[in-house]
Amino acid sequence: MDSLMTLLCSLLIGVVASNAALLPAQVYWNSVLPNTRMPNAISDLLSSDTVLDTKTGTTVNVGKGGVYVNAHPGKPGATTVGVGKGGVHVVAGQGTPGGTTVGVGKGGVHVVAGKGTPGSTTVGVGKGGVNVGAGNGKPGSTTVHVGPGGVTVNVKPKYGKPPSRVTVGPFSYNYAATEDQLHNNRQINFFFLEHDLHPGSKITMQFEKINTDAKFLLRSEAETIPFSSKKLLEIISRFSVQPGSDEEEAMKETLKECEDPVLDGEKKMCATSLESMVDFTVASLGTKNVKAVSTTVYSKYETPRQEYTIVSSGVKNLSGDELVACHQQTYAYAVFYCHMAKSTKGYTVKMTGKDGTVVDAAAVCHTDTSAWNPKHVAFQVLNVKPGTVPVCHFLPQDHVVFSRNK
């Protein structure tokens, strides 16, 4: 046993220490967009649990449960080995429905029958009592523990719940403004007119930090999960979201926005993985030579709503009149509403707040708003009509804009 653990720890050290050790989504980004720096709005949403060695194809998961090594992932018959506080766990025939796992550790003996088959059952017998897992491998599966303390039943969602924020996004331009939006400083203050975009201009707003547990899923996992209003009941059950809750309403609204028809001259998609976001961007802009920017607030603390001043030489143009903007949605995992519209201009804007906070903001100006809903929040806030003047907005910290590189 000791020799096996020593061997596995050596393998882990070799993989993690390798210069080729990257998160799987980073590997895809670098392979498709080798000249593009990944902005914080994206890197902050990557799951840090899994590391991929690009030379061997081996994945290593380092977490609270210990070390998990998967050799030749994705190939039927591959073997995985986990070393942690619970002992040594060996999975023979990984990826093959019906394969068996055996764990031997201080907790006793754990057997999983039918590994890889949804709905399989696990049984653990050890000092802690008897543990039964029904629906193993499914988010929202149920575990039952029988021990000295009695019987415990636990239904555990696989992903964090979405935040309780239910509203139509201000960047969906075919919607009329809601009462909530008209009284929401966070959404109203993002909009401004293009003639205000110059050094010395003062804009009052707040760049809030968005705290969410939602992370990107790998495309291979995201594609196995339904993403449709018709499947809403199945989706909320999968993530243990209560029917009628704010969480369900938020997810319902996201699905509705994603399924709504596009405006004339616009392309859109809802990216359920980083890989699909990258593919949509490349296909829409027609090049892999792109620049990605997001808003960065240089402060460790939540900044207040305050007056910001655009600094001298603080306005920089992004290349071209076609941009792809991706807006994070409220969902159980990271989902972005991405769209490309013609007649748009992008900028990076450096500003300083009254309290000294420095912000590098991403901004987009729409020069043709004739197809927007006449009652959209931007027109009501700025007191202008569709198609008359360019309408601009800053991007929140969790949104991204892509442009062709100069």
Side-chain angles (χ1 to χ4, degrees):
M1 182 77 71
D2 290 341
S3 60
L4 176 59
M5 293 181 68
T6 301
L7 175 62
L8 291 169
C9 289
S10 299
L11 173 60
L12 169 67
I13 294 170
V15 171
V16 175
S18 167
N19 291 329
L22 294 170
L23 301 176
Q26 285 179 308
V27 173
Y28 190 81
W29 176 285
N30 292 343
S31 66
V32 179
L33 306 175
N35 301 316
T36 306
R37 185 189 68 83
M38 183 183 289
N40 292 339
I42 292 177
S43 60
D44 288 349
L45 300 180
L46 299 181
S47 174
S48 59
D49 293 338
T50 304
V51 176
L52 171 67
D53 186 289
T54 56
K55 293 181 179 179
T56 66
T58 297
T59 59
V60 180
N61 184 294
V62 184
K64 294 180 180 179
V67 180
Y68 178 86
V69 181
N70 186 355
H72 307 297
K75 293 183 179 181
T79 299
T80 66
V81 182
V83 183
K85 293 181 179 179
V88 179
H89 302 267
V90 181
V91 183
Q94 174 71 12
T96 304
T100 301
T101 68
V102 180
V104 183
K106 293 181 179 179
V109 179
H110 302 267
V111 180
V112 182
K115 180 69 175 177
T117 304
S120 59
T121 301
T122 66
V123 180
V125 183
K127 294 181 179 180
V130 179
N131 294 279
V132 180
N136 188 53
K138 286 186 176 181
S141 59
T142 302
T143 61
V144 180
H145 173 78
V146 183
V151 180
T152 303
V153 180
N154 181 33
V155 179
K156 184 178 181 181
K158 185 175 181 182
Y159 308 104
K161 290 184 178 180
S164 300
R165 176 165 55 91
V166 183
T167 183
V168 175
F171 306 115
S172 295
Y173 305 119
N174 51 355
Y175 283 99
T178 65
E179 285 299 319
D180 286 342
Q181 285 179 326
L182 294 175
H183 295 90
N184 186 339
N185 286 329
R186 177 181 180 271
Q187 296 193 355
I188 287 176
N189 293 334
F190 280 115
F191 291 97
F192 60 95
L193 296 176
E194 191 176 30
H195 63 63
D196 293 324
L197 195 60
H198 59 82
S201 182
K202 299 182 184 298
I203 301 174
T204 299
M205 63 180 303
Q206 182 177 13
F207 292 98
E208 290 182 310
K209 286 186 176 180
I210 306 301
N211 297 315
T212 175
D213 292 332
K215 299 292 184 182
F216 273 119
L217 302 182
L218 291 177
R219 175 156 54 189
S220 58
E221 182 176 7
E223 289 179 345
T224 68
I225 301 174
F227 191 80
S228 167
S229 295
K230 295 179 180 179
K231 299 285 188 178
L232 179 61
L233 291 179
E234 179 182 341
I235 295 169
I236 65 172
S237 174
R238 188 180 188 116
F239 293 106
S240 299
V241 174
Q242 291 297 318
S245 64
D246 286 346
E247 288 84 3
E248 182 203 14
E249 190 62 29
M251 294 172 71
K252 179 181 178 180
E253 199 61 58
T254 291
L255 292 170
K256 181 179 184 298
E257 287 188 54
C258 290
E259 293 167 352
D260 278 344
V262 298
L263 296 174
D264 290 341
E266 183 182 57
K267 298 178 181 178
K268 81 165 190 178
M269 78 161 295
C270 279
T272 57
S273 66
L274 178 58
E275 296 95 323
S276 59
M277 178 193 291
V278 169
D279 289 352
F280 175 78
T281 298
V282 170
S284 298
L285 296 177
T287 179
K288 295 182 179 180
N289 187 21
V290 303
K291 183 174 184 177
V293 297
S294 61
T295 294
T296 301
V297 179
Y298 297 97
S299 173
K300 295 180 179 179
Y301 311 100
E302 186 76 35
T303 55
R305 183 172 183 266
Q306 62 178 322
E307 182 180 83
Y308 287 89
T309 302
I310 299 177
V311 305
S312 177
S313 302
V315 181
K316 305 291 185 183
N317 291 69
L318 298 178
S319 177
D321 62 353
E322 293 181 334
L323 306 171
V324 171
C326 292
H327 312 286
Q328 189 176 9
Q329 303 297 111
T330 307
Y331 210 67
Y333 52 91
V335 172
F336 279 76
Y337 175 97
C338 296
H339 60 133
M340 189 197 79
K342 297 180 179 180
S343 303
T344 54
K345 293 185 286 186
Y347 301 90
T348 58
V349 185
K350 185 176 287 292
M351 301 184 290
T352 303
K354 268 195 169 183
D355 66 353
T357 299
V358 176
V359 177
D360 283 328
V364 173
C365 290
H366 301 265
T367 57
D368 182 5
T369 60
S370 58
W372 292 20
N373 189 307
K375 294 184 178 180
H376 187 271
V377 62
F379 300 134
Q380 300 197 47
V381 169
L382 301 175
N383 196 27
V384 297
K385 294 183 178 181
T388 56
V389 295
V391 171
C392 306
H393 61 81
F394 291 109
L395 292 181
Q397 294 182 71
D398 54 346
H399 296 203
V400 187
V401 62
F402 297 88
S403 68
R404 297 183 181 93
N405 231 336
K406 294 181 179 179

